[in-house]
């Protein structure tokens, strides 16, 4: 990354109007030159589902052939818009990605501070979705440009980790069921709810204990007042007694001596009275101080219980976060990631391992009506432009055809055939802690991409597709990550860890 001694906030404020102006000018030039017309295409409008309310997006599929993005929720597509992907030599790589960073106002530090509004990063080497100029054809350096308004709308709707599939053709997910697809452990949701309730109750008790300790301290502080008042008055009476005794020891008249005797008697009586007041006040103070000690001990115990309950709730919440599982025919292994971090890996058995199995993305899209299991969908990809199992021809040029073609539904038979060949060890199944909506299973011929690393979901690139947009980018060296195999074996290290990127 090129270092610049410029305040980035000031730079953004200064450059954004200029960048927007340049973007607008580019649109006018493109319109005037008839760029879409030259490619034989017209700019398609942004579409949104009208027949129902849109749910939370579960995935976005970018079709390189159609130059279109389609966003899906658990029931089907909800948003569609044209895109502009990477141009020749800088092609947007086809494969499986996820949103790993969101920045509302991003400026490229590789391409002359280019303004990339509503940026959603899908690789740390710099491939992202963002608002940009769409000339009606592939035109980026590898990113996926979206219409500016659509980029803003999508930015507000997506969550970190949302699946982004960049497909050679335009394929749609279909609902799918298979015994190999993971299901939540019985009672997991109820246990999580119970832990949350326990944490809330422990937090309430800890708050009450803190209030009680504070109240006890205030009462003890107030109880010191009568003790101190009695002490002050007693000291004054003792001084008066001492003065009377001194006067009695001197050569004074009988009348003065009588007065001194009266003063002494009054002082002695006063001292006795104040001593009794002090004793009573001191007993009350000690009781208050003991109450403070007890209240503080109770508050400390309640805080310990609160922290333990909160940690238990956090732990089960972590276990119920979406889990991603990758099964690679190339390595004959299963990998598990959760919350952008590796969890473990295990060998798997794939029947007829020398025969291609395809690339299939299974996604848990929601719970069943009885809340006892999960509904899954599948998207199958084929390198070369056709979705697995479809009859779409594979020689149609990208960006020039298929704009009016509806997405081809995935062939469930192909996905079933892939899962039928896989045997996962039972101990690996048992170690997969939490399966919740948005969990996923990726089955592929490909190895895990080196783009998979710190702070990412699984990244899988289709080896039969151009990858110029990612091969030309330098990745920053960083911290290692490992599953459970030596560095001498493939995929033992992540080159990512440095928070600065070249793009």
């Amino acid at each position: 990354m090129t270092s610049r001694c410029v305040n980035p906030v000031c730079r953004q404020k200064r450059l954004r109007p200029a960048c927007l102006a340049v973007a607008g000018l580019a649109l006018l030039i493109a319109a005037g030159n008839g760029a879409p017309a030259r490619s034989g295409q017209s700019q398609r409008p942004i579409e949104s589902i009208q027949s129902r309310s849109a749910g939370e997006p579960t995935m976005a599929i970018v079709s390189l052939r159609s130059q279109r993005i389609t966003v899906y929720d658990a029931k089907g597509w909800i948003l569609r818009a044209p895109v502009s992907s990477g141009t020749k030599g800088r092609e947007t790589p086809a494969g499986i990605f996820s949103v790993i960073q969101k920045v509302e106002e991003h400026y490229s530090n590789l391409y002359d501070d280019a303004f990339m509004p509503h940026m959603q990063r899908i690789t740390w080497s710099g491939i992202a979705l963002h608002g940009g100029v769409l000339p009606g054809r592939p035109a980026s350096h590898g990113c996926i440009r979206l219409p500016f308004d659509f980029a803003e709308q999508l930015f507000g709707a997506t969550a970190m980790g949302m699946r982004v599939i960049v497909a050679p053709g335009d394929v749609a997910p279909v609902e799918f069921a298979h015994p190999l697809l993971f299901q939540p452990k019985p009672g997991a949701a109820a246990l999580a709810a119970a832990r949350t309730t326990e944490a809330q109750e422990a937090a309430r008790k800890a708050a009450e204990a803190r209030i009680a300790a504070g109240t006890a301290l205030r009462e003890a502080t107030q109880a010191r007042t009568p003790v101190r008042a009695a002490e002050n008055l007693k000291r004054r009476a003792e001084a008066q007694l001492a003065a009377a005794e001194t006067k009695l020891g001197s050569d004074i008249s009988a009348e003065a001596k009588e007065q001194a005797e009266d003063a002494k008697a009054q002082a002695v009586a006063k001292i006795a009275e104040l001593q009794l007041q002090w004793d009573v006040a001191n007993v009350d103070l000690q009781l208050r101080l003991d109450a403070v000690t007890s209240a503080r001990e109770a508050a400390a115990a309640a805080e310990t219980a609160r922290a333990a309950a909160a940690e238990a709730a956090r732990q089960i919440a972590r276990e119920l976060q979406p889990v991603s599982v990758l099964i690679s025919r190339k390595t004959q292994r299963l990998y598990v990631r959760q919350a952008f971090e590796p969890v473990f890996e295990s060998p798997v058995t794939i029947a007829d391992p020398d025969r291609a199995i395809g690339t299939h993305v299974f996604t848990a899209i929601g719970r069943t009506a009885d809340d006892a299991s999960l509904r899954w969908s599948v998207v199958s990809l084929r390198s070369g432009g056709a979705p697995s199992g479809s009859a779409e021809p594979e020689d149609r040029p990208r960006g020039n055809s298929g704009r009016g073609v509806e997405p081809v539904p995935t062939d469930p038979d192909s996905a079933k055939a892939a899962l039928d060949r896989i045997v996962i060890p039972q101990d690996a199944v048992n170690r997969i802690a939490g399966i919740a909506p948005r969990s996923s299973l990726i089955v592929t011929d490909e190895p895990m991409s080196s783009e998979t690393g710190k702070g990412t979901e699984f990244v899988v690139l289709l080896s039969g597709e151009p990858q110029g947009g990612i091969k030309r980018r330098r990745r920053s060296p960083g911290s290692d990550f490992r599953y459970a195999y030596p560095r001498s074996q493939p995929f033992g290290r992540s080159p990512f860890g440095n928070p600065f990127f070249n793009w």
Side-chain angles (χ1 to χ4, degrees), residues 45-61 69-81 150 153-154 156-159 162 172-173 406-407:
I46 297 171
E47 301 176 66
S48 60
I49 191 71
Q50 300 296 327
S51 58
R52 61 178 177 85
S53 298
E56 180 183 2
T58 58
M59 72 178 70
I61 299 179
I69 183 172
T70 305
V71 183
Y72 295 87
D73 67 4
K75 296 181 179 179
W77 77 272
I78 54 175
L79 292 169
R80 285 176 179 164
F150 180 83
Q153 181 181 5
L154 186 65
T158 59
M162 187 195 75
E406 285 297 306

Side-chain angles (χ1 to χ4, degrees), residues 225-416:
T225 301
V227 173
R228 289 172 179 169
E231 288 175 345
N232 292 334
L233 292 173
K234 182 182 175 184
R235 281 195 296 269
R236 189 178 302 171
E238 289 172 344
Q240 292 172 350
L241 175 61
E245 289 177 340
T246 300
K247 184 178 290 189
L248 286 172
S250 62
D251 187 13
I252 57 175
S253 64
E255 183 180 357
K257 187 175 182 178
E258 184 180 353
Q259 292 176 351
E261 289 288 354
D262 290 341
K264 179 180 177 180
Q266 291 177 6
V268 170
K270 189 66 173 179
I271 289 171
E273 179 186 352
L274 292 172
Q275 181 64 46
L276 180 60
Q277 292 179 10
W278 184 89
D279 290 340
V280 172
N282 203 46
V283 169
D284 183 62
L285 174 60
Q286 189 58 52
L287 291 174
R288 303 290 185 182
L289 293 175
D290 292 343
V292 169
T293 301
S294 298
R296 284 176 170 172
E297 291 174 351
E303 178 60 25
T304 300
R306 183 207 63 77
E311 179 56 32
R314 281 193 295 268
Q315 179 61 35
I316 197 166
R318 283 194 293 267
E319 292 177 357
L320 291 179
Q321 285 184 347
V323 174
S324 293
V325 180
L326 170 67
I327 296 177
S328 169
R329 184 181 67 85
K330 179 76 171 180
T331 62
Q332 297 285 300
R333 300 192 78 83
L334 170 150
Y335 309 88
V336 180
R337 292 179 76 86
Q338 190 175 34
F340 294 169
E341 295 292 339
V343 178
F344 74 93
E345 56 95 13
S346 168
V348 293
T349 301
I350 300 178
D352 196 3
D354 294 330
R355 179 166 58 92
I357 201 169
T359 295
H360 314 272
V361 184
F362 303 89
T363 304
I365 56 176
R367 299 187 182 276
T368 56
D370 59 4
D371 205 37
S373 57
L374 293 174
R375 297 165 46 227
W376 288 79
S377 71
V378 63
V379 174
S380 298
L381 305 177
R382 174 182 294 174
S383 179
S388 180
S390 77
E392 184 181 350
E394 300 186 7
D395 58 351
R396 296 165 68 181
R398 292 188 185 193
N400 294 326
S401 300
R403 285 181 179 265
V405 176
E406 285 297 306
V408 179
T410 289
D411 177 12
D413 291 338
S414 173
K416 179 180 183 302

Side-chain angles (χ1 to χ4, degrees), residues 27 143 152 164 172 179 307 326 328 370 397:
L27 283 171
C143 285
E152 181 177 6
V164 178
L326 170 67
S328 169
D370 59 4

